[in-house]
mmCIF file of all heavy atoms in Angstrom:
data_model
loop_
_atom_site.group_PDB
_atom_site.id
_atom_site.type_symbol
_atom_site.label_atom_id
_atom_site.label_comp_id
_atom_site.label_asym_id
_atom_site.label_seq_id
_atom_site.Cartn_x
_atom_site.Cartn_y
_atom_site.Cartn_z
ATOM 1 N N PRO A 1 6.562 3.507 13.082
ATOM 2 C CA PRO A 1 6.655 2.850 14.395
ATOM 3 C C PRO A 1 5.605 1.783 14.661
ATOM 4 O O PRO A 1 5.777 0.960 15.560
ATOM 5 C CB PRO A 1 6.495 4.022 15.381
ATOM 6 C CG PRO A 1 5.744 5.061 14.620
ATOM 7 C CD PRO A 1 6.207 4.931 13.205
ATOM 8 N N TYR A 2 4.529 1.784 13.876
ATOM 9 C CA TYR A 2 3.442 0.847 14.155
ATOM 10 C C TYR A 2 3.318 -0.240 13.082
ATOM 11 O O TYR A 2 2.250 -0.834 12.921
ATOM 12 C CB TYR A 2 2.123 1.609 14.274
ATOM 13 C CG TYR A 2 2.112 2.648 15.381
ATOM 14 C CD1 TYR A 2 1.890 3.991 15.088
ATOM 15 C CD2 TYR A 2 2.323 2.287 16.704
ATOM 16 C CE1 TYR A 2 1.872 4.948 16.101
ATOM 17 C CE2 TYR A 2 2.310 3.234 17.719
ATOM 18 C CZ TYR A 2 2.080 4.559 17.408
ATOM 19 O OH TYR A 2 2.059 5.498 18.410
ATOM 20 N N LYS A 3 4.399 -0.507 12.385
ATOM 21 C CA LYS A 3 4.385 -1.543 11.341
ATOM 22 C C LYS A 3 3.907 -2.879 11.903
ATOM 23 O O LYS A 3 3.173 -3.623 11.247
ATOM 24 C CB LYS A 3 5.787 -1.677 10.738
ATOM 25 C CG LYS A 3 5.872 -2.611 9.551
ATOM 26 C CD LYS A 3 7.302 -2.807 9.088
ATOM 27 C CE LYS A 3 8.104 -3.617 10.071
ATOM 28 N NZ LYS A 3 9.429 -4.021 9.558
ATOM 29 N N TYR A 4 4.299 -3.172 13.115
ATOM 30 C CA TYR A 4 3.975 -4.471 13.725
ATOM 31 C C TYR A 4 2.488 -4.632 14.017
ATOM 32 O O TYR A 4 2.022 -5.746 14.276
ATOM 33 C CB TYR A 4 4.785 -4.672 15.012
ATOM 34 C CG TYR A 4 4.339 -3.819 16.189
ATOM 35 C CD1 TYR A 4 3.533 -4.335 17.196
ATOM 36 C CD2 TYR A 4 4.715 -2.477 16.282
ATOM 37 C CE1 TYR A 4 3.125 -3.555 18.277
ATOM 38 C CE2 TYR A 4 4.316 -1.695 17.344
ATOM 39 C CZ TYR A 4 3.515 -2.227 18.341
ATOM 40 O OH TYR A 4 3.107 -1.451 19.393
ATOM 41 N N GLN A 5 1.723 -3.537 13.931
ATOM 42 C CA GLN A 5 0.294 -3.612 14.238
ATOM 43 C C GLN A 5 -0.595 -3.709 12.996
ATOM 44 O O GLN A 5 -1.817 -3.763 13.121
ATOM 45 C CB GLN A 5 -0.132 -2.383 15.047
ATOM 46 C CG GLN A 5 0.291 -2.405 16.500
ATOM 47 C CD GLN A 5 -0.280 -1.212 17.256
ATOM 48 O OE1 GLN A 5 0.066 -0.069 16.992
ATOM 49 N NE2 GLN A 5 -1.166 -1.476 18.185
ATOM 50 N N MET A 6 0.002 -3.725 11.821
ATOM 51 C CA MET A 6 -0.800 -3.776 10.594
ATOM 52 C C MET A 6 -1.599 -5.077 10.508
ATOM 53 O O MET A 6 -1.207 -6.104 11.042
ATOM 54 C CB MET A 6 0.108 -3.691 9.369
ATOM 55 C CG MET A 6 0.797 -2.363 9.162
ATOM 56 S SD MET A 6 1.759 -2.456 7.625
ATOM 57 C CE MET A 6 2.867 -1.072 7.868
ATOM 58 N N ASP A 7 -2.728 -5.028 9.786
ATOM 59 C CA ASP A 7 -3.519 -6.234 9.569
ATOM 60 C C ASP A 7 -2.733 -7.279 8.787
ATOM 61 O O ASP A 7 -2.833 -8.477 9.054
ATOM 62 C CB ASP A 7 -4.802 -5.895 8.802
ATOM 63 C CG ASP A 7 -5.822 -5.184 9.683
ATOM 64 O OD1 ASP A 7 -5.693 -5.234 10.916
ATOM 65 O OD2 ASP A 7 -6.758 -4.573 9.126
ATOM 66 N N GLN A 8 -1.982 -6.816 7.781
ATOM 67 C CA GLN A 8 -1.159 -7.715 6.970
ATOM 68 C C GLN A 8 0.312 -7.461 7.260
ATOM 69 O O GLN A 8 0.699 -6.346 7.605
ATOM 70 C CB GLN A 8 -1.385 -7.451 5.475
ATOM 71 C CG GLN A 8 -2.673 -7.983 4.900
ATOM 72 C CD GLN A 8 -2.745 -7.692 3.408
ATOM 73 O OE1 GLN A 8 -3.016 -6.577 2.983
ATOM 74 N NE2 GLN A 8 -2.503 -8.710 2.593
ATOM 75 N N LYS A 9 1.116 -8.487 7.072
ATOM 76 C CA LYS A 9 2.563 -8.304 7.195
ATOM 77 C C LYS A 9 3.049 -7.465 6.020
ATOM 78 O O LYS A 9 2.606 -7.645 4.886
ATOM 79 C CB LYS A 9 3.280 -9.650 7.246
ATOM 80 C CG LYS A 9 3.075 -10.406 8.562
ATOM 81 C CD LYS A 9 3.975 -11.614 8.622
ATOM 82 C CE LYS A 9 3.844 -12.328 9.980
ATOM 83 N NZ LYS A 9 4.296 -11.475 11.096
ATOM 84 N N TRP A 10 3.981 -6.565 6.297
ATOM 85 C CA TRP A 10 4.463 -5.636 5.283
ATOM 86 C C TRP A 10 5.164 -6.379 4.137
ATOM 87 O O TRP A 10 5.100 -5.962 2.981
ATOM 88 C CB TRP A 10 5.383 -4.622 5.948
ATOM 89 C CG TRP A 10 5.710 -3.390 5.155
ATOM 90 C CD1 TRP A 10 6.951 -2.866 4.963
ATOM 91 C CD2 TRP A 10 4.805 -2.496 4.487
ATOM 92 N NE1 TRP A 10 6.874 -1.708 4.218
ATOM 93 C CE2 TRP A 10 5.567 -1.464 3.916
ATOM 94 C CE3 TRP A 10 3.424 -2.481 4.315
ATOM 95 C CZ2 TRP A 10 5.001 -0.421 3.177
ATOM 96 C CZ3 TRP A 10 2.849 -1.452 3.573
ATOM 97 C CH2 TRP A 10 3.629 -0.437 3.021
ATOM 98 N N ASP A 11 5.808 -7.508 4.435
ATOM 99 C CA ASP A 11 6.431 -8.343 3.394
ATOM 100 C C ASP A 11 5.381 -8.848 2.407
ATOM 101 O O ASP A 11 5.578 -8.825 1.192
ATOM 102 C CB ASP A 11 7.116 -9.562 4.020
ATOM 103 C CG ASP A 11 8.497 -9.238 4.557
ATOM 104 O OD1 ASP A 11 8.831 -8.041 4.595
ATOM 105 O OD2 ASP A 11 9.226 -10.163 4.939
ATOM 106 N N ILE A 12 4.278 -9.325 2.946
ATOM 107 C CA ILE A 12 3.205 -9.878 2.105
ATOM 108 C C ILE A 12 2.603 -8.774 1.240
ATOM 109 O O ILE A 12 2.288 -8.979 0.063
ATOM 110 C CB ILE A 12 2.125 -10.537 2.989
ATOM 111 C CG1 ILE A 12 2.706 -11.778 3.679
ATOM 112 C CG2 ILE A 12 0.894 -10.895 2.177
ATOM 113 C CD1 ILE A 12 1.800 -12.403 4.721
ATOM 114 N N ILE A 13 2.465 -7.600 1.816
ATOM 115 C CA ILE A 13 1.912 -6.463 1.079
ATOM 116 C C ILE A 13 2.794 -6.113 -0.118
ATOM 117 O O ILE A 13 2.295 -5.806 -1.209
ATOM 118 C CB ILE A 13 1.745 -5.251 2.013
ATOM 119 C CG1 ILE A 13 0.632 -5.525 3.041
ATOM 120 C CG2 ILE A 13 1.435 -3.973 1.226
ATOM 121 C CD1 ILE A 13 0.555 -4.518 4.173
ATOM 122 N N LEU A 14 4.115 -6.175 0.056
ATOM 123 C CA LEU A 14 5.036 -5.887 -1.047
ATOM 124 C C LEU A 14 4.792 -6.845 -2.208
ATOM 125 O O LEU A 14 4.676 -6.423 -3.369
ATOM 126 C CB LEU A 14 6.487 -6.008 -0.551
ATOM 127 C CG LEU A 14 7.583 -5.836 -1.606
ATOM 128 C CD1 LEU A 14 7.502 -4.465 -2.272
ATOM 129 C CD2 LEU A 14 8.966 -6.043 -0.982
ATOM 130 N N ASN A 15 4.704 -8.128 -1.912
ATOM 131 C CA ASN A 15 4.459 -9.120 -2.955
ATOM 132 C C ASN A 15 3.097 -8.946 -3.611
ATOM 133 O O ASN A 15 2.926 -9.164 -4.810
ATOM 134 C CB ASN A 15 4.577 -10.535 -2.376
ATOM 135 C CG ASN A 15 6.011 -10.959 -2.159
ATOM 136 O OD1 ASN A 15 6.677 -11.429 -3.070
ATOM 137 N ND2 ASN A 15 6.506 -10.767 -0.947
ATOM 138 N N GLU A 16 2.127 -8.524 -2.823
ATOM 139 C CA GLU A 16 0.769 -8.330 -3.328
ATOM 140 C C GLU A 16 0.663 -7.112 -4.240
ATOM 141 O O GLU A 16 -0.035 -7.134 -5.258
ATOM 142 C CB GLU A 16 -0.173 -8.177 -2.130
ATOM 143 C CG GLU A 16 -1.630 -7.985 -2.482
ATOM 144 C CD GLU A 16 -2.470 -7.735 -1.242
ATOM 145 O OE1 GLU A 16 -2.405 -8.551 -0.302
ATOM 146 O OE2 GLU A 16 -3.193 -6.720 -1.200
ATOM 147 N N MET A 17 1.378 -6.036 -3.887
ATOM 148 C CA MET A 17 1.227 -4.777 -4.608
ATOM 149 C C MET A 17 2.162 -4.645 -5.805
ATOM 150 O O MET A 17 1.907 -3.840 -6.704
ATOM 151 C CB MET A 17 1.446 -3.597 -3.648
ATOM 152 C CG MET A 17 0.401 -3.478 -2.556
ATOM 153 S SD MET A 17 -1.300 -3.303 -3.175
ATOM 154 C CE MET A 17 -1.199 -1.771 -4.091
ATOM 155 N N LEU A 18 3.245 -5.398 -5.826
ATOM 156 C CA LEU A 18 4.201 -5.281 -6.943
ATOM 157 C C LEU A 18 3.536 -5.431 -8.315
ATOM 158 O O LEU A 18 3.765 -4.591 -9.204
ATOM 159 C CB LEU A 18 5.315 -6.321 -6.782
ATOM 160 C CG LEU A 18 6.663 -5.769 -6.311
ATOM 161 C CD1 LEU A 18 7.589 -6.889 -5.904
ATOM 162 C CD2 LEU A 18 7.313 -4.905 -7.386
ATOM 163 N N PRO A 19 2.713 -6.458 -8.528
ATOM 164 C CA PRO A 19 2.079 -6.585 -9.849
ATOM 165 C C PRO A 19 1.217 -5.377 -10.204
ATOM 166 O O PRO A 19 1.119 -5.013 -11.383
ATOM 167 C CB PRO A 19 1.221 -7.857 -9.692
ATOM 168 C CG PRO A 19 1.905 -8.648 -8.627
ATOM 169 C CD PRO A 19 2.421 -7.621 -7.664
ATOM 170 N N ARG A 20 0.602 -4.749 -9.196
ATOM 171 C CA ARG A 20 -0.212 -3.548 -9.455
ATOM 172 C C ARG A 20 0.658 -2.416 -9.992
ATOM 173 O O ARG A 20 0.255 -1.681 -10.895
ATOM 174 C CB ARG A 20 -0.897 -3.077 -8.163
ATOM 175 C CG ARG A 20 -2.049 -3.937 -7.680
ATOM 176 C CD ARG A 20 -3.308 -3.737 -8.527
ATOM 177 N NE ARG A 20 -3.601 -2.346 -8.770
ATOM 178 C CZ ARG A 20 -4.242 -1.533 -7.924
ATOM 179 N NH1 ARG A 20 -4.647 -2.011 -6.759
ATOM 180 N NH2 ARG A 20 -4.485 -0.276 -8.238
ATOM 181 N N PHE A 21 1.839 -2.248 -9.441
ATOM 182 C CA PHE A 21 2.731 -1.174 -9.881
ATOM 183 C C PHE A 21 3.344 -1.496 -11.249
ATOM 184 O O PHE A 21 3.518 -0.606 -12.075
ATOM 185 C CB PHE A 21 3.828 -0.937 -8.843
ATOM 186 C CG PHE A 21 3.386 -0.084 -7.690
ATOM 187 C CD1 PHE A 21 2.606 -0.613 -6.666
ATOM 188 C CD2 PHE A 21 3.724 1.260 -7.618
ATOM 189 C CE1 PHE A 21 2.181 0.162 -5.602
ATOM 190 C CE2 PHE A 21 3.316 2.051 -6.563
ATOM 191 C CZ PHE A 21 2.536 1.503 -5.553
ATOM 192 N N ILE A 22 3.647 -2.764 -11.483
ATOM 193 C CA ILE A 22 4.242 -3.153 -12.760
ATOM 194 C C ILE A 22 3.231 -2.994 -13.892
ATOM 195 O O ILE A 22 3.551 -2.506 -14.976
ATOM 196 C CB ILE A 22 4.734 -4.615 -12.702
ATOM 197 C CG1 ILE A 22 5.895 -4.740 -11.705
ATOM 198 C CG2 ILE A 22 5.175 -5.098 -14.088
ATOM 199 C CD1 ILE A 22 6.270 -6.171 -11.390
ATOM 200 N N ALA A 23 1.986 -3.391 -13.628
ATOM 201 C CA ALA A 23 0.979 -3.456 -14.699
ATOM 202 C C ALA A 23 0.063 -2.242 -14.770
ATOM 203 O O ALA A 23 -0.990 -2.311 -15.411
ATOM 204 C CB ALA A 23 0.157 -4.731 -14.518
ATOM 205 N N SER A 24 0.413 -1.143 -14.108
ATOM 206 C CA SER A 24 -0.439 0.054 -14.154
ATOM 207 C C SER A 24 -0.701 0.456 -15.607
ATOM 208 O O SER A 24 0.232 0.656 -16.383
ATOM 209 C CB SER A 24 0.231 1.213 -13.406
ATOM 210 O OG SER A 24 0.330 0.932 -12.034
ATOM 211 N N GLU A 25 -1.975 0.578 -15.965
ATOM 212 C CA GLU A 25 -2.344 0.857 -17.355
ATOM 213 C C GLU A 25 -2.583 2.333 -17.622
ATOM 214 O O GLU A 25 -2.723 2.749 -18.765
ATOM 215 C CB GLU A 25 -3.586 0.050 -17.723
ATOM 216 C CG GLU A 25 -3.351 -1.460 -17.681
ATOM 217 C CD GLU A 25 -4.599 -2.253 -18.007
ATOM 218 O OE1 GLU A 25 -5.683 -1.625 -18.106
ATOM 219 O OE2 GLU A 25 -4.496 -3.485 -18.171
ATOM 220 N N SER A 26 -2.685 3.121 -16.556
ATOM 221 C CA SER A 26 -2.933 4.553 -16.715
ATOM 222 C C SER A 26 -2.388 5.278 -15.491
ATOM 223 O O SER A 26 -2.058 4.653 -14.483
ATOM 224 C CB SER A 26 -4.432 4.829 -16.851
ATOM 225 O OG SER A 26 -5.105 4.459 -15.654
ATOM 226 N N GLU A 27 -2.323 6.585 -15.583
ATOM 227 C CA GLU A 27 -1.816 7.370 -14.460
ATOM 228 C C GLU A 27 -2.717 7.224 -13.240
ATOM 229 O O GLU A 27 -2.234 7.075 -12.114
ATOM 230 C CB GLU A 27 -1.693 8.836 -14.861
ATOM 231 C CG GLU A 27 -1.013 9.692 -13.802
ATOM 232 C CD GLU A 27 -0.766 11.114 -14.262
ATOM 233 O OE1 GLU A 27 -1.257 11.498 -15.340
ATOM 234 O OE2 GLU A 27 -0.070 11.859 -13.529
ATOM 235 N N ILE A 28 -4.035 7.239 -13.463
ATOM 236 C CA ILE A 28 -4.955 7.110 -12.327
ATOM 237 C C ILE A 28 -4.831 5.717 -11.707
ATOM 238 O O ILE A 28 -4.895 5.559 -10.490
ATOM 239 C CB ILE A 28 -6.416 7.399 -12.746
ATOM 240 C CG1 ILE A 28 -7.359 7.292 -11.545
ATOM 241 C CG2 ILE A 28 -6.878 6.494 -13.864
ATOM 242 C CD1 ILE A 28 -7.058 8.234 -10.412
ATOM 243 N N ASP A 29 -4.593 4.695 -12.528
ATOM 244 C CA ASP A 29 -4.393 3.340 -12.007
ATOM 245 C C ASP A 29 -3.166 3.291 -11.111
ATOM 246 O O ASP A 29 -3.173 2.671 -10.039
ATOM 247 C CB ASP A 29 -4.246 2.372 -13.179
ATOM 248 C CG ASP A 29 -4.309 0.914 -12.739
ATOM 249 O OD1 ASP A 29 -5.028 0.629 -11.770
ATOM 250 O OD2 ASP A 29 -3.640 0.073 -13.366
ATOM 251 N N PHE A 30 -2.102 3.969 -11.531
ATOM 252 C CA PHE A 30 -0.874 4.051 -10.740
ATOM 253 C C PHE A 30 -1.117 4.771 -9.422
ATOM 254 O O PHE A 30 -0.703 4.318 -8.348
ATOM 255 C CB PHE A 30 0.193 4.763 -11.579
ATOM 256 C CG PHE A 30 1.455 5.119 -10.838
ATOM 257 C CD1 PHE A 30 2.190 4.163 -10.163
ATOM 258 C CD2 PHE A 30 1.917 6.428 -10.832
ATOM 259 C CE1 PHE A 30 3.363 4.490 -9.484
ATOM 260 C CE2 PHE A 30 3.082 6.776 -10.166
ATOM 261 C CZ PHE A 30 3.809 5.807 -9.484
ATOM 262 N N HIS A 31 -1.836 5.896 -9.466
ATOM 263 C CA HIS A 31 -2.113 6.664 -8.251
ATOM 264 C C HIS A 31 -3.000 5.874 -7.291
ATOM 265 O O HIS A 31 -2.815 5.934 -6.072
ATOM 266 C CB HIS A 31 -2.766 7.993 -8.612
ATOM 267 C CG HIS A 31 -1.807 8.969 -9.237
ATOM 268 N ND1 HIS A 31 -2.074 10.316 -9.348
ATOM 269 C CD2 HIS A 31 -0.582 8.795 -9.777
ATOM 270 C CE1 HIS A 31 -1.052 10.919 -9.934
ATOM 271 N NE2 HIS A 31 -0.136 10.012 -10.206
ATOM 272 N N LEU A 32 -3.962 5.153 -7.837
ATOM 273 C CA LEU A 32 -4.838 4.344 -6.978
ATOM 274 C C LEU A 32 -4.062 3.203 -6.322
ATOM 275 O O LEU A 32 -4.370 2.808 -5.195
ATOM 276 C CB LEU A 32 -6.012 3.790 -7.790
ATOM 277 C CG LEU A 32 -7.077 4.817 -8.186
ATOM 278 C CD1 LEU A 32 -8.095 4.190 -9.129
ATOM 279 C CD2 LEU A 32 -7.781 5.391 -6.961
ATOM 280 N N ALA A 33 -3.049 2.695 -7.014
ATOM 281 C CA ALA A 33 -2.200 1.650 -6.410
ATOM 282 C C ALA A 33 -1.461 2.209 -5.200
ATOM 283 O O ALA A 33 -1.339 1.537 -4.160
ATOM 284 C CB ALA A 33 -1.209 1.118 -7.447
ATOM 285 N N ILE A 34 -0.978 3.453 -5.306
ATOM 286 C CA ILE A 34 -0.295 4.079 -4.164
ATOM 287 C C ILE A 34 -1.278 4.295 -3.019
ATOM 288 O O ILE A 34 -0.950 4.060 -1.855
ATOM 289 C CB ILE A 34 0.349 5.418 -4.575
ATOM 290 C CG1 ILE A 34 1.357 5.216 -5.700
ATOM 291 C CG2 ILE A 34 1.044 6.062 -3.373
ATOM 292 C CD1 ILE A 34 1.915 6.511 -6.278
ATOM 293 N N LYS A 35 -2.492 4.742 -3.354
ATOM 294 C CA LYS A 35 -3.483 4.985 -2.287
ATOM 295 C C LYS A 35 -3.863 3.684 -1.590
ATOM 296 O O LYS A 35 -3.991 3.642 -0.361
ATOM 297 C CB LYS A 35 -4.735 5.660 -2.848
ATOM 298 C CG LYS A 35 -5.686 6.128 -1.746
ATOM 299 C CD LYS A 35 -6.657 7.163 -2.231
ATOM 300 C CE LYS A 35 -7.498 7.728 -1.083
ATOM 301 N NZ LYS A 35 -6.696 8.532 -0.142
ATOM 302 N N GLU A 36 -4.022 2.627 -2.359
ATOM 303 C CA GLU A 36 -4.330 1.323 -1.757
ATOM 304 C C GLU A 36 -3.184 0.861 -0.858
ATOM 305 O O GLU A 36 -3.406 0.315 0.227
ATOM 306 C CB GLU A 36 -4.582 0.301 -2.865
ATOM 307 C CG GLU A 36 -5.039 -1.042 -2.360
ATOM 308 C CD GLU A 36 -5.373 -2.008 -3.476
ATOM 309 O OE1 GLU A 36 -5.535 -1.574 -4.637
ATOM 310 O OE2 GLU A 36 -5.469 -3.228 -3.182
ATOM 311 N N LEU A 37 -1.957 1.098 -1.313
ATOM 312 C CA LEU A 37 -0.780 0.735 -0.515
ATOM 313 C C LEU A 37 -0.751 1.518 0.790
ATOM 314 O O LEU A 37 -0.518 0.956 1.868
ATOM 315 C CB LEU A 37 0.490 1.004 -1.326
ATOM 316 C CG LEU A 37 1.829 0.755 -0.629
ATOM 317 C CD1 LEU A 37 2.008 -0.725 -0.302
ATOM 318 C CD2 LEU A 37 2.985 1.248 -1.502
ATOM 319 N N SER A 38 -1.023 2.822 0.732
ATOM 320 C CA SER A 38 -0.981 3.651 1.941
ATOM 321 C C SER A 38 -2.076 3.253 2.923
ATOM 322 O O SER A 38 -1.884 3.324 4.137
ATOM 323 C CB SER A 38 -1.086 5.137 1.578
ATOM 324 O OG SER A 38 -2.389 5.477 1.142
ATOM 325 N N ALA A 39 -3.226 2.814 2.391
ATOM 326 C CA ALA A 39 -4.320 2.397 3.275
ATOM 327 C C ALA A 39 -3.955 1.158 4.082
ATOM 328 O O ALA A 39 -4.489 0.930 5.174
ATOM 329 C CB ALA A 39 -5.585 2.138 2.457
ATOM 330 N N LYS A 40 -3.024 0.362 3.569
ATOM 331 C CA LYS A 40 -2.644 -0.877 4.245
ATOM 332 C C LYS A 40 -1.806 -0.633 5.501
ATOM 333 O O LYS A 40 -1.545 -1.559 6.259
ATOM 334 C CB LYS A 40 -1.903 -1.795 3.268
ATOM 335 C CG LYS A 40 -2.814 -2.387 2.195
ATOM 336 C CD LYS A 40 -2.056 -3.290 1.256
ATOM 337 C CE LYS A 40 -2.974 -3.902 0.202
ATOM 338 N NZ LYS A 40 -3.958 -4.856 0.776
ATOM 339 N N LEU A 41 -1.413 0.620 5.748
ATOM 340 C CA LEU A 41 -0.690 0.930 6.982
ATOM 341 C C LEU A 41 -1.614 0.902 8.192
ATOM 342 O O LEU A 41 -1.150 0.864 9.328
ATOM 343 C CB LEU A 41 -0.017 2.307 6.894
ATOM 344 C CG LEU A 41 1.418 2.323 6.367
ATOM 345 C CD1 LEU A 41 1.484 1.849 4.923
ATOM 346 C CD2 LEU A 41 2.020 3.716 6.475
ATOM 347 N N ASN A 42 -2.943 0.940 7.953
ATOM 348 C CA ASN A 42 -3.908 0.988 9.068
ATOM 349 C C ASN A 42 -3.577 2.139 10.015
ATOM 350 O O ASN A 42 -3.516 1.969 11.233
ATOM 351 C CB ASN A 42 -3.931 -0.332 9.840
ATOM 352 C CG ASN A 42 -4.204 -1.537 8.962
ATOM 353 O OD1 ASN A 42 -3.455 -2.508 8.956
ATOM 354 N ND2 ASN A 42 -5.257 -1.494 8.180
ATOM 355 N N ASP A 43 -3.377 3.314 9.431
ATOM 356 C CA ASP A 43 -2.967 4.494 10.200
ATOM 357 C C ASP A 43 -3.799 5.690 9.731
ATOM 358 O O ASP A 43 -3.710 6.083 8.571
ATOM 359 C CB ASP A 43 -1.474 4.756 9.965
ATOM 360 C CG ASP A 43 -0.951 5.987 10.692
ATOM 361 O OD1 ASP A 43 -1.550 6.373 11.710
ATOM 362 O OD2 ASP A 43 0.062 6.555 10.238
ATOM 363 N N THR A 44 -4.591 6.261 10.631
ATOM 364 C CA THR A 44 -5.464 7.377 10.244
ATOM 365 C C THR A 44 -4.664 8.608 9.844
ATOM 366 O O THR A 44 -5.175 9.489 9.151
ATOM 367 C CB THR A 44 -6.450 7.707 11.389
ATOM 368 O OG1 THR A 44 -7.012 6.493 11.904
ATOM 369 C CG2 THR A 44 -7.595 8.582 10.895
ATOM 370 N N HIS A 45 -3.404 8.694 10.262
ATOM 371 C CA HIS A 45 -2.550 9.789 9.816
ATOM 372 C C HIS A 45 -2.173 9.664 8.345
ATOM 373 O O HIS A 45 -1.774 10.640 7.716
ATOM 374 C CB HIS A 45 -1.250 9.825 10.636
ATOM 375 C CG HIS A 45 -1.333 10.687 11.857
ATOM 376 N ND1 HIS A 45 -0.644 10.411 13.010
ATOM 377 C CD2 HIS A 45 -2.016 11.835 12.107
ATOM 378 C CE1 HIS A 45 -0.893 11.341 13.918
ATOM 379 N NE2 HIS A 45 -1.720 12.209 13.390
ATOM 380 N N THR A 46 -2.246 8.444 7.822
ATOM 381 C CA THR A 46 -1.829 8.223 6.445
ATOM 382 C C THR A 46 -2.792 8.911 5.495
ATOM 383 O O THR A 46 -4.010 8.842 5.663
ATOM 384 C CB THR A 46 -1.793 6.718 6.132
ATOM 385 O OG1 THR A 46 -0.934 6.077 7.061
ATOM 386 C CG2 THR A 46 -1.288 6.457 4.736
ATOM 387 N N SER A 47 -2.227 9.561 4.497
ATOM 388 C CA SER A 47 -3.065 10.263 3.529
ATOM 389 C C SER A 47 -2.328 10.345 2.207
ATOM 390 O O SER A 47 -1.160 10.719 2.158
ATOM 391 C CB SER A 47 -3.389 11.674 4.036
ATOM 392 O OG SER A 47 -4.119 12.398 3.074
ATOM 393 N N PHE A 48 -2.995 9.955 1.141
ATOM 394 C CA PHE A 48 -2.435 10.124 -0.200
ATOM 395 C C PHE A 48 -3.546 10.548 -1.142
ATOM 396 O O PHE A 48 -4.615 9.932 -1.195
ATOM 397 C CB PHE A 48 -1.803 8.829 -0.718
ATOM 398 C CG PHE A 48 -1.295 8.962 -2.140
ATOM 399 C CD1 PHE A 48 -0.088 9.601 -2.389
ATOM 400 C CD2 PHE A 48 -2.047 8.500 -3.216
ATOM 401 C CE1 PHE A 48 0.363 9.766 -3.693
ATOM 402 C CE2 PHE A 48 -1.593 8.658 -4.513
ATOM 403 C CZ PHE A 48 -0.382 9.291 -4.755
#
């Protein structure tokens, strides 16, 4: 419900994070990409 309040537009975040998911070199790199993505919601309820 609060997508409109994010610091970045969600469209821009998709373009920014796609290369991270494509080029993940290890499992921890992949998991950290998800955590970075979840942090971009600017929501204290978010947790990964």
Side-chain angles (χ1 to χ4, degrees):
Y2 300 120
K3 186 186 70 170
Y4 72 100
Q5 284 185 294
M6 292 182 198
D7 286 343
Q8 284 182 283
K9 288 189 176 296
W10 195 228
D11 278 9
I12 293 172
I13 291 169
L14 176 60
N15 284 276
E16 181 184 306
M17 295 302 298
L18 255 168
R20 287 285 314 278
F21 279 78
I22 294 169
S24 294
E25 296 178 352
S26 64
E27 187 174 8
I28 181 60
D29 191 32
F30 171 55
H31 287 196
L32 287 173
I34 301 173
K35 189 161 186 68
E36 186 176 345
L37 177 65
S38 72
K40 289 180 179 293
L41 269 64
N42 305 126
D43 178 25
T44 315
H45 269 148
T46 303
S47 176
F48 176 78

